[in-house]
Amino acid sequence: MSGGGMSGDATAPHLAVAVIGAGAAGCLVAARLIQHAGRRGTRLDLWLIDPAHDSGRGTAYRTDDLRHLLNVPAGRMSAFAEDRDHFVRWLTGRHPRYADPDAFVPRALYGSYLAEVLEDAAVRGTSARLRRVHERAVGAQRRGTSVVCRLDSGRTVRADAVVLAVGSPAPGCDWVPRALRTSDRFVLSPWAPGALASVPHDADVLLVGTGLTMVDAALSLERPGRLLTAVSRSGLLPHPHAPAPLPPVPPPAVTGRAGLGALRREVLAQVSRSRHRHGDWRPGFDSLRPLTSSLWRQLSTADRRRFLTDHLRLWEVHRHRMAPPTAAALDRARDRGRLRMRAGEVADALVTRDGVRVSLTDGTAVEVGAVVNCTGSQPDPSAVDDPLLRDLLESGRARPHPTGLGFDILDDGRLRDGRTDTAASIWTIGALRRGELLESTAIPEIRVQADEIAGAITAVPRSRRPGDGIPQWRGISFARGGWPHRG
C-alpha cells in the first residue's frame, strides 16, 4: 500500500482487526487503531469494510447540499479530544472562509475532513497495513479465539477483534400504510442517494417527522410554489443554538438513583437557574452533557423506558439543536407560507394517478405529490432489515438492549453474548450503544469511544504471524489529498 504500511521488527506482536462501517465512527476508530498500534509497536492488519465507494461520509456527511450544516460549532468537532483545534486548523488550510471555532460548517466538508484524518493516519502509520474492502459484511461468528466476518461476495475476513461501526440504521416504516409503502411516491429515506431527486418538481410534499432529518429535507425541497407539510405526534421542532456563545454553567450535583421523577425536578431546577443567571436555558441544559450517560445508567430499566415513552421527544428538541442559519432559513420558509407544521399521525393513505391523499389522525387530509419519511433511524436492531445485525441476533452472539435502543453491551462497549452472558470479541461504537448511554451519536462522544476501543484492543495483541488465516487481498492506496481507492 503506497503511503503507509508495515515496517520494523517482523517478530513484533501482531494483531488483525476488522472495522465494519467506513463512516464517521469507522474512520475515527480505524485512525485510532493505527495510532495506538504504532505507539505499542504492534504490527496491525486492519480491514475497513463498507460497500460505499468513499470513506468518512456515512449517512450523516454524504450530503452535497451546502445548506446542510453541522449542528455543532466547528470548535467542538475535532476528531481528537486531546487536540480540540484540529478541525479548525484543517479548515484554515482547506476552506479558510469557514475557519471559525464558532461557525456551523457544511456537513459535506466534515466528511472530507474525516477521510483525510484516516488517510493521514494510514500514511504516518509504520506498523499498520490498512485494507479498504468495498463489500457488505453479512455475518460474524467465533472461530476459536478469532471472529470470522462473512462478506456478501462469500469471502471471509478473520480477525482477532471486530468493531461494529455501522452508524444509525435506516428509518423505521411501521407507520406507513400498505398502499403507500410500495408506491414510488414514498421516499423511505431522504438520505438514500438520489432519493429527493425523485420527488416531482412542482408537487407539494408531506414530511413525516419534525426532527433534524425533516429540517434538512425541508431545506433541500423548499421552493416557490411548493407547500411542505411536516407532521409528527408532538409537532415540535428542534430549538436553535444561541446566536452567540454563552458562558458555561457548572454541572449540577444530581443523581439518577432517586428515580426519574426526582431527576426530572433537578434538571428543571438547573435549567431555571441558568435562565435566571444568564437569561437563557441553554447553558443549564448543556451542563448536563458530561453527566448524561452516568445518570442514564443509574436509572432503573422501568424508568428508562418511561423516559423514552414520555420525555424523549422533549429532551431531543432541546438537546439536538439547529444551527442558527438553519433555523433562520426554516423561519423564512414558514413566513413565506412554504412550510407548515402539524401535530398528528398518518392514519391512512390513498395513492392516485396524480399523487397521494394522506389522512391524518386529527381528521384532516393533505393532497401531496410525495411523502418523505423523516422519522429518524430505527433504534431497535431486531426490527432492522440488515443481514449482519440479523445474523448476530439469530445466532445469539448479540441481543437487543432491554430498552430497545441498540445492543446489550458491557461497560467497555463489547457485545454481551445473548446465550452465555459473556463478552464477545466484537465491539460497538456509536448508535448501537444508545441503550446503555442514551447519548452516543455525536462526534464528541464517538471520538472518545474510538480512542477507548482502540486502546483496549491493542493492549493485548495476539502473537500469530502476519496474514495467518487471513485472505491475501490487495490493499488500498492513498493519494495525498485524495480519496482512498482499491489498489
Side-chain angles (χ1 to χ4, degrees):
M1 157 180 148
S2 65
M6 290 196 182
S7 63
D9 185 5
T11 65
H14 184 268
L15 186 67
V17 182
V19 176
I20 301 175
C27 278
L28 290 179
V29 76
R32 284 301 202 182
L33 281 163
I34 293 169
Q35 293 171 352
H36 278 270
R39 286 194 288 267
R40 296 180 186 274
T42 299
R43 292 166 62 82
L44 174 67
D45 255 319
L46 179 59
W47 307 78
L48 186 59
I49 303 170
D50 191 305
H53 173 72
D54 48 19
S55 301
R57 298 192 175 274
T59 300
Y61 308 116
R62 188 164 302 283
T63 176
D64 57 3
D65 190 331
L66 296 182
R67 293 169 294 186
H68 295 165
L69 306 180
L70 295 173
N71 299 312
V72 176
R76 290 161 48 194
M77 289 294 287
S78 169
F80 309 111
E82 74 277 13
D83 186 359
R84 297 300 178 94
D85 296 327
H86 190 269
F87 180 45
V88 176
R89 291 200 306 274
W90 182 88
L91 289 169
T92 301
R94 302 289 193 278
H95 305 279
R97 64 175 290 197
Y98 295 111
D100 177 353
D102 297 323
F104 292 85
V105 177
R107 290 211 305 275
L109 299 185
Y110 196 72
S112 299
Y113 165 68
L114 291 175
E116 288 200 29
V117 165
L118 178 58
E119 174 186 341
D120 184 64
V123 169
R124 294 174 183 270
T126 58
S127 66
R129 178 167 49 198
L130 173 63
R131 296 178 174 94
R132 178 67 166 87
V133 182
H134 296 274
E135 292 195 42
R136 184 179 302 281
V138 296
Q141 65 183 60
R142 289 182 180 180
R143 187 172 298 171
T145 60
S146 302
V147 179
V148 177
C149 300
R150 189 173 71 257
L151 309 181
D152 55 4
S153 66
R155 291 186 284 189
T156 60
V157 171
R158 182 175 179 176
D160 299 304
V162 171
V163 182
L164 299 180
V166 296
S168 297
C173 58
D174 290 346
W175 60 269
V176 184
R178 181 176 300 178
L180 179 60
R181 192 173 302 185
T182 57
S183 171
D184 59 5
R185 294 186 178 273
F186 173 60
V187 177
L188 173 62
S189 172
W191 300 122
L196 295 183
S198 67
V199 175
H201 185 81
D202 57 349
D204 293 343
V205 180
L206 177 66
L207 307 173
V208 181
T210 58
L212 292 172
T213 299
M214 183 283 294
V215 170
D216 286 337
L219 293 178
S220 294
L221 292 171
E222 184 261 337
R223 63 191 52 166
R226 167 181 282 167
L227 174 61
L228 302 173
T229 300
V231 62
S232 71
R233 285 191 295 269
S234 68
L236 295 176
L237 268 174
H239 287 278
H241 285 282
L246 295 166
V249 169
V254 296
T255 178
R257 295 186 178 91
L260 182 60
L263 178 58
R264 182 177 182 274
R265 289 190 293 272
E266 291 288 350
V267 169
L268 292 175
Q270 174 75 349
V271 171
S272 179
R273 287 191 292 268
S274 174
R275 187 180 286 116
H276 177 72
R277 294 174 185 173
H278 301 287
D280 199 293
W281 56 267
R282 294 173 181 83
F285 206 87
D286 292 343
S287 72
L288 300 167
R289 184 164 187 171
L291 310 176
T292 300
S293 292
S294 61
L295 292 172
W296 179 250
R297 285 172 166 170
Q298 291 166 12
L299 292 174
S300 67
T301 299
D303 272 346
R304 294 188 204 183
R305 288 172 174 163
R306 186 158 61 251
F307 175 86
L308 296 176
T309 301
D310 299 339
H311 304 293
L312 179 62
R313 185 57 187 151
L314 198 59
W315 169 270
E316 288 180 332
V317 299
H318 289 83
R319 166 69 181 83
H320 302 288
R321 303 196 286 269
M322 291 185 283
T326 299
L330 223 59
D331 286 341
R332 288 193 297 270
R334 297 178 75 177
D335 292 343
R336 293 167 178 168
R338 299 177 188 172
L339 172 65
R340 66 180 180 183
M341 309 295 300
R342 301 278 291 274
E345 298 179 76
V346 172
D348 201 1
L350 175 65
V351 179
T352 68
R353 184 182 63 182
D354 300 320
V356 185
R357 177 181 173 83
V358 181
S359 301
L360 303 177
T361 51
D362 62 2
T364 64
V366 292
E367 301 273 357
V368 295
V371 178
V372 181
N373 184 7
C374 301
T375 57
S377 64
Q378 167 59 258
D380 183 354
S382 64
V384 176
D385 185 20
D386 180 277
L388 174 61
L389 302 188
R390 187 168 59 248
D391 175 78
L392 290 169
L393 290 167
E394 291 178 352
S395 66
R397 285 180 289 278
R399 64 190 182 197
H401 192 271
T403 62
L405 297 180
F407 281 134
D408 195 6
I409 61 172
L410 300 182
D411 289 344
D412 61 5
R414 284 178 295 166
L415 285 182
R416 190 186 298 275
D417 190 289
R419 291 177 179 167
T420 65
D421 202 38
T422 58
S425 299
I426 303 176
W427 305 74
T428 59
I429 183 171
L432 289 178
R433 290 194 184 192
R434 284 192 65 206
E436 197 60 32
L437 303 176
L438 183 61
E439 294 292 339
S440 186
T441 57
I443 291 298
E445 284 82 33
I446 289 175
R447 67 188 177 195
V448 172
Q449 294 176 20
D451 192 34
E452 291 174 347
I453 290 171
I457 289 176
T458 57
V460 188
R462 308 301 171 93
S463 59
R464 67 196 217 182
R465 298 183 305 276
D468 181 23
I470 303 174
Q472 295 304 302
W473 291 22
R474 292 188 299 165
I476 61 170
S477 59
F478 284 91
R480 189 171 294 278
W483 294 102
H485 59 275
R486 290 290 293 274

